[in-house]
Amino acid sequence: MKTIIWYGNDLRVDDHLPLEEAIRYGDPIEGHYFIRPDELTENRYGVVPLGRRRLRFLNESLSDLAGSLEAFDIPLYVHVGHPLDVLDRDDRLLFQSSIGYDERRLERDVTIGWRGEWRAFDGFTLYRRDEIPFERMPFLFTEFRKKIEHDAVPDRLIERAHADVALPLQFPVAIEPVETDERSAFPFQGGDRAGRERLAHYLNGPVRTYKETRNGFGIDDSSKLSAYLANGSLSPRRVLHELEQHEAKHGANESTYWLYFELLWREFFQWVALEQGKRLFRAQGIRSKQKSWRADIEVITRWQRGETGVDFVDSFMRELNATGWMSNRGRQIVASYFAKELGQDWRFGATYFESMLIDYDVASNYGNWAYQAGVGNDSRDRRFNITRQQETYDPTGAFRNTWL
Ligand code: FAD
């Protein structure tokens, strides 16, 4: 009998419970990763979810994982298709549980059809299910944060070293070349090595002023850890552990706390998504708030291309199109503009982000989009004044001039 590790958004060996459990059994181990066919085909919103930059980043991340797994004598296979069509159902199956609705539905199908033993583990979040001190998730982030800060303690970190070299993989999808734009805020390179290097770099200085710079658009203004957290090359507990080590050595300040604060936003949206399931994707959102959304393809296309005529919005969208990245401030502004000023169905915006963002994460993306559209975890339904935003965050027009 073999032990199969079914990989998803957990592309690492560090702090990885399925790997630890697989080693404990002592049977031969294989790693398998599956791309769902629907991720590669155009959806009802007119986009291919796994866009070409995301695909390239995935390929790099998997090659790094293959390198790290080689040290454990574990081969890694990548497929497009359904696990039950490829794997031997009598083997032992171990995997990290997903958060997203489609991913969980697939896990349910696989475990129902599985004949051998199987086990699922938490690992995408800072806290595990039984460490979250809520019967039901609070609607507002502040309530969640306060209780978590007071009551929750993350499980200990299980440390494993990654390899120094990637292993070229048989990747089942053609990787189209993507150009690196010289204006890119951070040309993301996939893999656990790159994620750990970025974390070390950020904690070695920039984090000390994070609270003041985080709304900026430059390389060290924010951590740029999101893409590594999104596909699990980096464990959130690893980030917290290193942050605490940094604070023990250099002292905590408002900025080091703020990085933790932002990680709690991530955490919040994960648990909301898990609880809400399919409701996260409804036009009326988790608040069941009826709004008359429009779906004007010409308007949507102009927004996507960065051709709305509103400079600040267009600059951010062009940055996204050229690099696969946009700052948090930019995301808030373009999402608010799309839903509140243009009145377009927010899901067209969210799916476009899904296809384009290298750091796409289902819970953070749909949770934040619904929030900006006024149908998510915010009772105020605010709108951004774009002119005022530009005056505050790009007073000299430097960012605008970079992209227009
Ligand atoms: P930092 O500012 O350095 O923050 C550190 C980490 O905290 C981030 O890496 C991220 O994991 C987490 N974080 C910070 N802000 C948020 C937030 N508002 N919500 C959830 N987590 C947060 N983030 C994604 O990871 N994937 C997405 O698909 C995504 N889509 C978004 C869509 C919209 C409309 C908006 C407004 C925000 C979205 N975010 C998403 C959240 C946020 O913009 C990014 O996490 C952040 O910009 C990533 O840059 P960073 O790693 O430098 O963040």
Side-chain angles (χ1 to χ4, degrees):
M1 154 145 60
K2 292 193 297 296
T3 301
I4 306 284
I5 305 180
W6 173 19
Y7 283 96
N9 289 331
D10 54 343
L11 305 182
R12 62 175 186 271
V13 294
D14 183 45
D15 192 36
H16 193 272
L17 287 176
L19 175 63
E20 298 305 321
E21 189 72 357
I23 293 170
R24 216 174 51 78
Y25 283 111
D27 294 319
I29 308 171
E30 282 180 4
H32 290 264
Y33 182 91
F34 290 84
I35 297 171
R36 293 196 322 267
D38 63 279
E39 293 181 279
L40 299 171
T41 43
E42 199 172 291
N43 63 18
R44 56 198 272 240
Y45 297 99
V47 295
V48 176
L50 197 46
R52 58 198 185 104
R53 280 203 167 73
R54 283 186 60 203
L55 203 56
R56 193 187 65 133
F57 189 76
L58 176 65
N59 177 252
E60 290 165 358
S61 306
L62 283 164
S63 303
D64 247 34
L65 175 65
S68 295
L69 287 176
E70 203 184 27
F72 298 87
D73 232 355
I74 304 176
L76 179 66
Y77 305 97
V78 184
H79 319 267
V80 176
H82 197 289
L84 290 181
D85 295 336
V86 174
L87 302 175
D88 180 345
R89 301 175 192 205
D90 292 312
D91 281 332
R92 180 186 298 115
L93 181 71
L94 306 177
F95 60 92
Q96 179 183 287
S97 309
S98 299
I99 302 285
Y101 177 77
D102 289 340
E103 292 78 2
R104 281 169 52 217
R105 208 171 48 168
L106 177 63
E107 284 172 10
R108 204 193 50 213
D109 285 356
V110 170
T111 52
I112 287 173
W114 203 254
R115 285 190 293 259
E117 180 191 346
W118 63 268
R119 280 191 67 192
F121 301 83
D122 287 339
F124 192 69
T125 43
L126 271 176
Y127 302 96
R128 302 200 201 290
R129 237 158 275 223
D130 54 0
E131 293 162 352
I132 288 289
F134 298 103
E135 288 277 307
R136 282 196 62 77
M137 274 297 286
F139 178 68
L140 293 177
F141 169 69
T142 307
E143 194 186 326
F144 172 79
R145 175 183 62 80
K146 285 188 178 155
K147 199 158 168 58
I148 289 280
E149 283 182 343
H150 192 260
D151 291 350
V153 182
D155 201 0
R156 78 186 169 87
L157 186 75
I158 306 164
E159 308 216 28
R160 291 278 182 186
H162 57 77
D164 289 329
V165 281
L167 201 65
L169 272 172
Q170 284 277 81
F171 202 68
V173 187
I175 304 287
E176 287 175 41
V178 285
E179 54 300 337
T180 305
D181 193 296
E182 56 178 21
R183 298 164 294 178
S184 169
F186 185 71
F188 283 92
Q189 166 75 34
D192 48 1
R193 269 177 309 153
R196 290 291 290 277
E197 275 166 27
R198 178 63 194 169
L199 177 61
H201 167 82
Y202 205 68
L203 295 181
N204 194 22
V207 71
R208 310 274 330 152
T209 51
Y210 171 68
K211 186 153 187 252
E212 294 88 64
T213 60
R214 72 199 165 88
N215 281 307
F217 314 125
I219 183 162
D220 283 340
D221 287 340
S222 67
S223 72
K224 311 290 186 291
L225 295 176
S226 51
Y228 304 104
L229 287 166
N231 75 9
S233 320
L234 199 55
S235 152
R237 278 187 302 277
R238 165 62 65 189
V239 178
L240 186 60
H241 176 79
E242 303 288 332
L243 182 62
E244 285 170 350
Q245 302 273 82
H246 169 95
E247 289 181 328
K249 203 163 159 200
H250 303 284
N253 68 11
E254 278 200 329
S255 284
T256 59
Y257 166 74
W258 215 262
L259 192 59
Y260 170 65
F261 180 97
E262 294 298 343
L263 287 174
L264 289 187
W265 266 111
R266 174 182 183 272
E267 194 76 6
F268 175 67
F269 283 125
Q270 301 303 323
W271 294 109
V272 167
L274 191 70
E275 186 174 270
Q276 295 291 337
K278 213 176 175 176
R279 289 163 58 93
L280 189 67
F281 309 98
R282 299 187 312 177
Q284 68 272 35
I286 62 171
R287 285 178 69 193
S288 300
K289 192 154 183 195
Q290 296 299 339
K291 294 196 176 197
S292 44
W293 298 115
R294 291 191 287 278
D296 182 336
I297 298 306
E298 249 179 58
V299 173
I300 293 170
T301 307
R302 276 205 299 276
W303 174 85
Q304 289 175 341
R305 291 187 180 154
E307 293 172 359
T308 65
V310 178
D311 282 3
F312 212 27
V313 170
D314 291 347
S315 321
F316 288 122
M317 293 306 293
R318 290 188 195 187
E319 180 188 30
L320 175 67
N321 294 336
T323 69
W325 164 259
M326 193 193 295
S327 64
N328 185 52
R329 180 58 43 186
R331 295 180 202 199
Q332 290 175 306
I333 290 170
V334 302
S336 172
Y337 180 77
F338 187 84
K340 301 272 170 68
E341 310 300 327
L342 300 177
Q344 301 299 315
D345 182 340
W346 64 276
R347 296 168 305 169
F348 278 91
T351 44
Y352 188 66
F353 267 33
E354 173 172 353
S355 169
M356 300 299 288
L357 279 176
I358 292 172
D359 68 15
Y360 167 70
D361 164 67
V362 57
S364 301
N365 191 53
Y366 285 86
N368 273 291
W369 263 97
Y371 188 102
Q372 292 303 331
V375 296
N377 295 84
D378 182 22
S379 33
R380 287 169 295 183
D381 206 353
R382 291 165 294 176
R383 65 181 341 127
F384 279 75
N385 177 326
I386 312 287
T387 312
R388 205 168 314 138
Q389 289 285 316
Q390 182 161 8
E391 284 162 7
T392 309
Y393 295 104
D394 191 30
T396 64
F399 181 77
R400 174 207 174 277
N401 293 338
T402 304
W403 293 102
L404 290 192

